[in-house]
Amino acid sequence: MPQSSNTSRALSPARVIARFAVRVVLLGAFAAFGSIGFGRSLVTLLWMSIILCAAVAILRREQLFGAVLNHWDECAAFGALFALVHLVNAQS
């Protein structure tokens, strides 16, 4: 039975989660050296990650709310982190 193009290009959930974790660690490392402070740098980098993940998902024509993890799910996770960090920054 032939697989659809979306299923054949899909990565395993473990690889997508590992990719996300590596990106979060890299964003934290870059934010640590930001000249505008860690919190503001991290918020900016997370915002750019949201835009990048959405652009890649659109270019790859990935299915929103699909059965497999993809860039849309990473976009949502970065959005949640952005909201959390932005809220913490506003409190301090």
Side-chain angles (χ1 to χ4, degrees), residues 31-61:
F33 297 108
S35 62
I36 60 174
F38 179 77
R40 289 180 63 196
S41 295
L42 187 58
V43 165
T44 303
L45 290 170
L46 287 169
W47 180 247
M48 291 189 315
S49 296
I50 293 167
I51 294 169
L52 177 67
C53 285
V56 170
I58 290 169
L59 289 174
R60 293 185 70 191
R61 295 185 176 140

Side-chain angles (χ1 to χ4, degrees), residues 20 23-28 30-31 38-54 74-86 89:
F20 175 75
R23 287 180 180 177
V24 169
V25 169
L26 286 173
L27 291 177
F30 281 119
F38 179 77
R40 289 180 63 196
S41 295
L42 187 58
V43 165
T44 303
L45 290 170
L46 287 169
W47 180 247
M48 291 189 315
S49 296
I50 293 167
I51 294 169
L52 177 67
C53 285
E74 282 187 67
C75 183
F78 280 126
L81 282 175
F82 169 81
L84 179 66
V85 172
H86 187 64
N89 275 345

